[in-house]
Amino acid sequence: MRQMAGKRIAIVGGGTSGSVLAARLSESPDINVTLLEAGADDSTYDAAILDPARAADAWQGAVPIVTSAMKTETGAIPILQGRILGGTSAVNGLATLRGLPQDYNSWKAAGLEGWGWEDVIETFVAAECDLDFGPIPIHGTSGPLTVRRWRRDEMSRAQLVFLDGMTEAGNPSVADINDPGQLPGIGVFPVTIDKDANRMSTSLAYLTSKVRKRMNLEVHTDAKVTGLYIDGCKATGVVLEDGSEIEADEVVVAVGALWSPALLMRSGIGPAAHLADHGITVLADLPVGETMSDHLGPSVPYSHKGSRGGTAGPAQSLYIGASNGKDIDYHLFPIAPAATQESTNFVMAAFLMQSPGNGKVQLGDSAEMDPVVTAPSLPEDGIDRLRHAFRKIADWEESGTFRESGCQRLTPNDLTNENAVSIALERGLLSYGHMTSTCPMGSVLDADCRVNGISGLRVVDASVMPTIPAGNTYLGCVMIAERIADKMKAEIGQ
């Protein structure tokens, strides 16, 4: 094992955030980094990961994933997360949206200094290498993450019908949906792919072969952490599934919005009554897992004759909507995972961007106490907001593009009917897969993502978000990891 003098930091989880942290922290010669990933190395990536058009294969188990279920009033929603170096950035839809200025300004207004829009936009820009817009005030060209938008010749038939039909229906065409000033409107997802349209996970982008040669960085795969060592009120290391121990001066937990709270609770950090129910000694009584958010919503099923077409991944065209005409509050886009020789089925998904944050992650009764996840409810005015989205779908169906495409809605409901949204929700709720806020800054953590009441311990992933941004959370995880790495290096004078 490579050893160097300096502060020893153990990072639990080599996913979206953990890969960024390991690369950035090991830039400092005064930090000795050990990255622990439960899954395989990214050298095992195959076409099911690298080819964005095969993302659905990954969701169906072609690559190592963690499959959980989120309980709702109408049943269970499957939740997929990558258990491989790069984590969920290796199996997601690759969508790199940032959210809106008001999302982050609300964090700052709640007392979390350093997390306002003017703070985080600099990090978003520095992290990316945008192949379409180049170096302009809201985009960068020097970051590790290569970003571009799908070209028309790469997009599937359903996506093009949606893009063109929504434009025909009078919705503004947006060149850059990461520019808040251009919204609401219809546009194309920015995605993390390279020039050859291969997936760019955070491990591939940040943990390059050059980075992994650093003497102060060790990357251990197939290394599942089962507990944290906490001496009094200080974290001193971790224990692995094989019983081995790793000592550290500081531990950073980065295993995602479901597994980070579970690991904390198994180690005695969480709601006292819930831990007591599982016979766990309480070291810090904190509301871990009690304020989960997600982007949820209904869908409408469609089909069209012929093949799917195109080579792009699942995140292609997107309508970013505002039910009151100005304040962004939903996403509307087609998802087309299933195809046969005769026809292609797809759904039009409508996801609300707000969440009341009343979902839960709790420990179950299994030997490993895997998390039990309960979905948050929809906002009180959620159905009214979704009615606006359904009217947009109905207008799309009236476009000449839709009528000439061979697309067909597979349900008889009138989408403009007052009960159309409720009927769709009764068929089932979809998750955007954007679980957040289970170890939030402001209650469980301080503004530097340190666990309140326990020294030497931080959480850095989607779970730290105080509230859910109005956009995809993948890039937010990168931004958070970049900023916390800077803070940690500053603490030792770097």
Side-chain angles (χ1 to χ4, degrees):
M1 295 179 68
R2 292 176 287 183
Q3 294 290 330
M4 294 184 65
K7 185 174 183 178
R8 300 168 301 168
I9 296 180
I11 301 172
V12 183
T16 302
S17 300
S19 292
V20 176
L21 277 168
R24 292 308 194 195
L25 289 174
S26 61
E27 290 173 344
S28 169
D30 296 323
I31 298 177
N32 201 37
V33 179
T34 302
L35 178 64
L36 302 163
E37 166 55 40
D41 204 298
D42 58 17
S43 61
T44 65
Y45 284 8
D46 62 9
I49 289 179
L50 294 174
D51 180 359
R54 292 190 58 185
D57 292 349
W59 303 342
Q60 293 163 11
V63 298
I65 56 175
V66 182
T67 304
S68 308
M70 185 188 301
K71 296 187 296 183
T72 74
E73 293 181 358
T74 57
I77 304 172
I79 303 170
L80 307 179
Q81 296 178 298
R83 179 165 285 178
I84 196 167
L85 198 66
T88 302
S89 75
V91 299
N92 64 6
L94 305 99
T96 55
L97 270 68
R98 300 165 174 171
L100 302 173
Q102 53 265 39
D103 299 328
Y104 303 99
N105 288 337
S106 71
W107 296 5
K108 183 176 181 178
L112 299 171
E113 288 296 326
W115 294 102
W117 178 248
E118 293 301 320
D119 303 305
V120 304
I121 186 59
E122 295 181 2
T123 308
F124 282 129
V125 170
E128 74 176 7
C129 178
D130 194 299
L131 302 181
D132 295 323
F133 289 102
I136 62 175
I138 61 170
H139 287 295
T141 56
S142 59
L145 275 178
T146 303
V147 176
R148 71 171 174 88
R149 288 127 197 98
W150 292 114
R151 302 187 305 265
R152 288 187 65 88
D153 65 326
E154 297 170 314
M155 295 173 68
S156 68
R157 292 177 60 194
Q159 300 282 349
L160 286 172
V161 170
F162 180 65
L163 182 66
D164 294 343
M166 289 292 285
T167 303
E168 183 185 340
N171 298 291
S173 180
V174 176
D176 180 11
I177 57 176
N178 261 327
D179 181 353
Q182 297 185 37
L183 303 176
I186 176 75
V188 178
F189 272 108
V191 289
T192 43
I193 53 176
D194 63 19
K195 293 179 181 179
D196 298 319
N198 291 314
R199 177 189 293 273
M200 180 65 68
S201 71
T202 56
S203 65
L204 293 176
Y206 283 83
L207 294 174
T208 63
S209 58
K210 181 179 180 180
V211 169
R212 292 177 69 166
K213 290 177 182 177
R214 292 173 182 163
M215 295 302 295
N216 63 332
L217 172 63
E218 293 185 0
V219 178
H220 297 280
T221 53
D222 299 308
K224 183 179 180 181
V225 173
T226 56
L228 307 175
Y229 275 119
I230 299 176
D231 184 5
C233 294
K234 176 173 173 47
T236 59
V238 301
V239 58
L240 302 182
E241 189 174 43
D242 63 6
S244 60
E245 304 171 8
I246 294 179
E247 296 182 352
D249 300 308
E250 185 166 4
V251 176
V252 182
V253 175
V255 284
L258 305 185
W259 294 87
S260 285
L263 181 57
L264 261 60
M265 287 187 283
R266 289 201 305 267
S267 303
I269 302 166
H274 182 57
L275 299 189
D277 288 342
H278 289 276
I280 298 172
T281 300
V282 179
L283 301 180
D285 181 7
L286 296 170
V288 173
E290 296 195 334
T291 53
M292 189 188 79
S293 287
D294 191 8
H295 295 141
L296 303 172
S299 64
V300 181
Y302 291 85
S303 72
H304 66 69
K305 294 180 180 179
S307 65
R308 172 188 184 272
T311 59
Q316 297 177 39
S317 55
L318 172 67
Y319 179 73
I320 299 181
S323 61
N324 66 2
K326 58 187 175 96
D327 298 314
I328 301 306
D329 56 4
Y330 67 86
H331 281 186
L332 182 63
F333 63 101
I335 307 174
T340 67
Q341 289 184 343
E342 297 81 24
S343 65
T344 297
N345 293 333
F346 64 98
V347 298
M348 193 63 65
F351 292 111
L352 287 172
M353 292 294 101
Q354 283 83 30
S355 169
N358 58 3
K360 289 189 179 297
V361 175
Q362 297 176 304
L363 296 176
D365 295 325
S366 67
E368 293 187 349
M369 296 185 188
D370 292 343
V372 175
V373 185
T374 304
S377 58
L378 295 180
E380 289 185 6
D381 59 354
I383 289 181
D384 289 335
R385 293 172 184 264
L386 288 168
R387 287 192 182 111
H388 189 273
F390 272 40
R391 287 195 295 271
K392 288 291 182 182
I393 303 174
D395 291 343
W396 168 65
E397 288 185 359
E398 293 299 315
S399 69
T401 301
F402 178 87
R403 291 195 300 268
E404 295 164 8
S405 69
C407 288
Q408 179 181 358
R409 179 156 41 88
L410 301 180
T411 57
N413 310 65
D414 177 1
L415 297 182
T416 63
N417 183 287
E418 183 176 311
N419 297 319
V421 171
S422 298
I423 293 170
L425 288 170
E426 288 173 2
R427 287 199 307 267
L429 197 63
L430 295 183
S431 165
Y432 215 160
H434 296 162
M435 294 73 66
T436 70
S437 312
T438 51
C439 304
M441 292 185 286
S443 58
V444 175
L445 313 175
D446 69 10
D448 292 334
C449 291
R450 293 176 292 218
V451 176
N452 290 321
I454 303 291
S455 63
L457 181 62
R458 299 185 206 236
V459 181
V460 181
D461 53 35
S463 65
V464 314
M465 297 179 180
T467 54
I468 193 167
N472 302 62
T473 52
Y474 159 40
L475 200 59
C477 292
V478 174
M479 177 273 293
I480 289 167
E482 287 268 18
R483 294 189 65 77
I484 293 301
D486 285 346
K487 289 174 181 285
M488 294 176 71
K489 287 188 287 187
E491 289 172 2
I492 60 170
Q494 293 295 310

